[in-house]
């Protein structure tokens, strides 16, 4: 094997977790090869022009990046070259869009009690459930209970249970039976995702009354691609990447790993795999028990419809996003998350993305229903429509369930996994960032 095919580490997959792994290890002076099977880098973190609509640009799903003040992206910022770290605009408030208009989604307990969307009795019961969960989490630590197990299900109306279920789908991609209380509280801003001592956790319960809301969430100017582009532009010379090259086999012997693609074999002592963990046993030999455990990872499917508008419309004249509420009666499709993304639209046009979790077998029905719901709630959209582009994708390689998550270090010495199916904290790109921080600690 020629020397030029030997690297300090090989990264399999060029989504944001693979790219950040290559960047950080490369900046530490390691020679890195990153292999991506698609013809573009970024995975689920890309912005592109839909084929039939030149001039329009859309992201791979709508994005609000969490934990931007102290979270993992901020902790990784110093690996970016000067001026390459993206600029984020603040994602302000969340709203509920009801049949009679928008209502701001509260970020404190008193705000929640003032909400019009739920019956008064249910709000008091839910507020009690919320207080109990926050306080018992503060005192007893990271207990992985399901949302379903902490709400007073027999005392709440069907409508309120649907509301809690819809929020669970929004925050984890799964029903309230499978969504952990921690994910729910973090997503609502009542608790942080990092590990905390008891005193810090108790202090955090004050967020129930004085929460700075969603001030740590943002959207990167220039689209989600600017995160991917910032990483690639910061790669030092010792980071090499190949696109359109799928890793089909990883073999290990006493001299290290051999990573094989249809084009070549590459050698290294370390492999960082950032594809779906569940698929790793398909390309390399893993212990049977580990392979069985990773099969438990659950994935949700999201549909996003991008709607290009002839002009910006006043209905979306806010900086934040909205969740549709009480608009249809099938549990998971209760939640539609809509976000205006004016910066991707051509000049003087408008762009909004709407996402929902769908049953992958019923995509066609879901698309029609989603469009009809949007048109009925905001009639101005239908009159203004110029572009419709639909995406069906898995938002994360594993939705945050109560199940087992693998650790970064696999049972095979020198083989590591990163990405959204290896860390339960926060969501999406932030989760991918946490996994890269864990990788750096493990190496
Ligand atoms: C609708 C939607 C909404 C979202 N909303 C948000 C949000 O609001 N906030 C947020 O933070 N995140 C959000 N996300 C999620 C976020 O975009 C992803 O979780 C994140 O980009 C995943 O990064 P990753 O690197 O872990 O995985 P991926 O992006 O899946 O990257 C894995 C890469 O590995 C490659 N690969 C796999 N196997 C191989 C192989 N054998 N050989 C070579 N290459 C391989 C794949 O082609 C892919 O490019 C959303 C996503 C969607 C779809």
């Amino acid at each position: 094997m020629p020397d030029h095919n030997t690297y300090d580490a090989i990264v399999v997959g060029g989504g944001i977790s693979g790219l950040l792994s290559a960047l950080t290890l490369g900046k530490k002076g390691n020679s890195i090869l990153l292999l991506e099977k698609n013809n573009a880098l970024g995975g689920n973190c890309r912005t592109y022009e839909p084929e039939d609509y030149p001039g329009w640009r859309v992201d791979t799903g709508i994005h609000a990046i969490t934990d931007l003040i102290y979270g993992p992206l901020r902790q990784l910022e110093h690996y970016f070259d000067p001026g390459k770290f993206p600029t984020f605009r603040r994602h302000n408030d969340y709203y509920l869009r009801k049949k009679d208009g928008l209502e701001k989604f509260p970020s404190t307990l008193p705000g929640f009690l003032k909400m019009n969307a739920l019956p008064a009795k249910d709000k008091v019961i839910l507020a009690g459930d919320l207080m109990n969960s926050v306080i018992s989490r503060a005192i007893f630590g990271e207990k992985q209970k399901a949302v379903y197990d902490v709400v007073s299900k027999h005392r709440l109306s069907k409508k309120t249970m649907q509301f809690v279920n819809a929020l669970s789908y929004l925050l984890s991609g799964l029903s309230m039976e499978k969504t952990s209380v921690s994910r729910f509280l973090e997503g609502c801003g009542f608790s942080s995702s990092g590990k905390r001592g008891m005193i810090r956790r108790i202090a955090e319960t004050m967020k129930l009354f004085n929460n700075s809301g969603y001030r740590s969430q943002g959207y990167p100017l220039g689209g989600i691609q600017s995160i991917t582009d910032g990483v690639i532009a910061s790669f030092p010379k010792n980071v090499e990447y190949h696109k359109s090259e799928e890793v089909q086999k990883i073999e290990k012997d006493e001299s290290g790993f051999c990573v094989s693609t249809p084009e070549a074999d590459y050698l290294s002592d370390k492999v960082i795999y950032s594809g779906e963990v569940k698929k790793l046993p398909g390309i390399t030999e893993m212990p049977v028990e580990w392979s069985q455990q990773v099969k438990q990872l659950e994935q949700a499917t999201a549909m996003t419809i991008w709607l290009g508008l002839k002009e910006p419309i006043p209905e979306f004249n806010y900086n934040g996003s909205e969740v549709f509420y009480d608009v249809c009666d099938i549990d998971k499709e209760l939640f539609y998350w809509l976000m205006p993304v004016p910066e991707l639209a051509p000049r003087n046009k408008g762009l909004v993305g709407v996402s929902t979790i769908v049953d992958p077998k019923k995509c066609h029905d879901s698309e029609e229903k989603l469009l009809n719901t949007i048109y009925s709630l905001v009639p101005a959209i239908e009159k203004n429509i110029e572009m419709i582009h639909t995406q069906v994708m898995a938002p994360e390689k594993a939705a945050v369930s109560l199940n087992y998550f693998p650790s970064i270090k696999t049972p095979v010495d020198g083989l590591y996994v990163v990405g959204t199916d290896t860390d339960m904290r926060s969501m999406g790109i932030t989760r991918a960032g946490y996994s890269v921080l864990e990788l750096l600690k493990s190496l």
Side-chain angles (χ1 to χ4, degrees):
M1 184 66 53
D3 269 346
H4 65 262
N5 270 6
T6 303
Y7 298 84
D8 292 331
I10 295 175
V11 178
V12 181
I16 195 62
S17 55
L19 291 170
L20 285 169
S21 305
L23 173 70
T24 51
L25 298 180
K27 285 271 165 122
K28 286 174 183 284
N30 300 287
S31 61
I32 307 289
L33 173 66
L34 179 145
L35 297 161
E36 165 56 51
K37 67 179 176 187
N38 289 329
N39 62 3
L41 295 178
N44 262 351
C45 187
R46 287 194 308 114
T47 307
Y48 62 90
E49 222 177 69
E51 240 172 51
D52 305 333
Y53 297 100
W56 288 92
R57 288 192 308 144
V58 298
D59 288 331
T60 44
I62 50 176
H63 283 80
I65 314 294
T66 52
D67 289 349
L68 280 172
I69 298 178
Y70 302 112
L73 275 189
R74 212 39 90 178
Q75 293 172 49
L76 294 166
E77 183 178 355
H78 64 281
Y79 289 100
F80 287 68
D81 281 356
K84 301 297 179 204
F85 190 74
T87 306
F88 292 90
R89 70 152 150 93
R90 170 121 38 111
H91 176 286
N92 285 344
D93 295 309
Y94 283 87
Y95 297 86
L96 288 176
R97 185 174 289 272
K98 302 175 297 168
K99 284 170 185 144
D100 56 355
L102 287 184
E103 179 177 357
K104 201 157 144 187
F105 196 82
S107 62
T108 62
L109 199 57
F112 172 75
L113 287 168
K114 284 192 208 132
M115 247 172 87
N116 292 321
L118 300 178
K121 176 180 143 256
D122 286 4
K123 280 190 290 191
V124 176
I125 297 171
L126 260 188
D129 293 342
L130 185 63
M131 282 261 279
N132 279 341
S133 309
V134 172
I135 291 168
S136 58
R137 186 172 188 262
I139 295 172
F140 303 114
E142 287 277 290
K143 277 208 153 184
Q144 285 299 349
K145 276 192 175 168
V147 171
Y148 182 77
D149 294 330
V150 300
V151 290
S152 306
K153 39 195 164 295
H154 304 302
R155 295 165 64 209
L156 293 170
S157 64
K158 187 175 167 221
K159 183 176 162 179
T160 301
M161 286 299 276
Q162 281 180 327
F163 173 76
V164 176
N165 208 23
L167 274 187
S168 301
Y169 274 110
L170 171 70
L171 294 169
S172 77
L174 298 171
S175 67
M176 62 181 153
E177 282 87 350
K178 290 180 172 179
T179 299
S180 73
V181 174
S182 315
R183 177 73 202 104
F184 199 84
L185 297 178
E186 282 164 22
C188 292
F190 294 130
S191 171
S192 316
S193 51
K195 291 191 182 103
R196 299 273 185 276
M198 196 201 287
I199 306 278
R200 286 282 298 280
R201 292 200 307 263
I202 290 174
E204 264 193 3
T205 57
M206 288 318 292
K207 282 188 171 179
L208 281 171
F209 302 95
N210 180 18
N211 189 356
S212 49
Y214 307 103
R215 106 193 136 87
S216 68
Q217 298 196 13
Y219 176 76
L221 297 181
I224 207 73
Q225 180 79 33
S226 63
I227 306 180
T228 294
D229 287 348
V231 179
I232 299 168
S234 304
F235 276 165
K237 285 203 175 63
N238 45 316
V239 174
E240 186 182 324
Y241 60 85
H242 299 181
K243 294 186 269 185
S244 306
E245 199 170 334
E246 179 169 3
V247 172
Q248 295 184 329
K249 209 191 296 166
I250 304 173
E251 285 173 306
K252 191 178 184 202
D253 64 19
E254 55 289 349
S255 62
F257 291 96
C258 175
V259 176
S260 306
T261 73
E263 278 72 28
D265 291 338
Y266 305 97
L267 304 179
S268 181
D269 289 340
K270 285 186 206 79
V271 173
I272 291 107
Y273 175 83
S274 76
E276 275 177 57
V277 169
K278 265 199 272 196
K279 295 190 177 156
L280 184 57
I283 55 174
T284 194
E285 209 179 307
M286 296 300 291
V288 176
E289 196 191 341
W290 189 90
S291 306
Q292 288 300 336
Q293 279 176 324
V294 297
K295 278 192 196 155
Q296 299 171 44
L297 294 170
E298 289 191 60
Q299 215 171 50
T301 304
M303 173 179 285
T304 301
I305 302 189
W306 287 98
L307 300 165
L309 309 174
K310 285 181 200 139
E311 57 187 4
I313 58 175
E315 280 78 355
F316 303 121
N317 196 11
Y318 60 82
N319 180 359
S321 54
E322 57 179 78
V323 176
F324 294 3
Y325 172 61
D326 198 17
V327 285
C328 66
D329 50 10
I330 308 165
D331 32 21
K332 61 178 138 187
E333 292 181 7
L334 243 179
F335 127 62
Y336 294 148
W337 178 34
L338 180 147
M339 186 167 153
V341 189
E343 46 274 269
L344 291 187
R347 217 173 140 76
N348 299 327
K349 310 255 176 187
L351 180 70
V352 292
V354 196
S355 287
T356 189
I357 298 294
V358 293
D359 177 342
K361 292 186 214 106
K362 295 185 189 157
C363 281
H364 185 263
D365 296 353
S366 302
E367 187 175 9
E368 202 180 310
K369 196 162 10 136
L370 180 47
L371 274 175
N372 287 337
T373 310
I374 300 165
Y375 295 157
S376 71
L377 279 178
V378 193
I381 289 195
E382 196 169 7
K383 287 187 225 121
N384 262 290
I385 215 97
E386 191 172 305
M387 187 275 297
I388 301 182
H389 177 69
T390 303
Q391 303 162 334
V392 177
M393 49 203 347
E396 293 166 321
K397 288 176 286 196
V400 191
S401 67
L402 295 160
N403 289 341
Y404 148 95
F405 259 57
S407 66
I408 302 287
K409 223 171 167 168
T410 73
V412 177
D413 200 26
L415 178 59
Y416 300 83
V417 287
V418 287
T420 49
D421 45 3
T422 64
D423 202 298
M424 288 176 95
R425 286 170 285 177
S426 195
M427 62 187 283
I429 290 169
T430 306
R431 264 166 95 190
Y434 273 123
S435 75
V436 174
L437 287 173
E438 283 305 312
L439 170 74
L440 296 177
K441 277 193 229 155
S442 310
L443 283 168

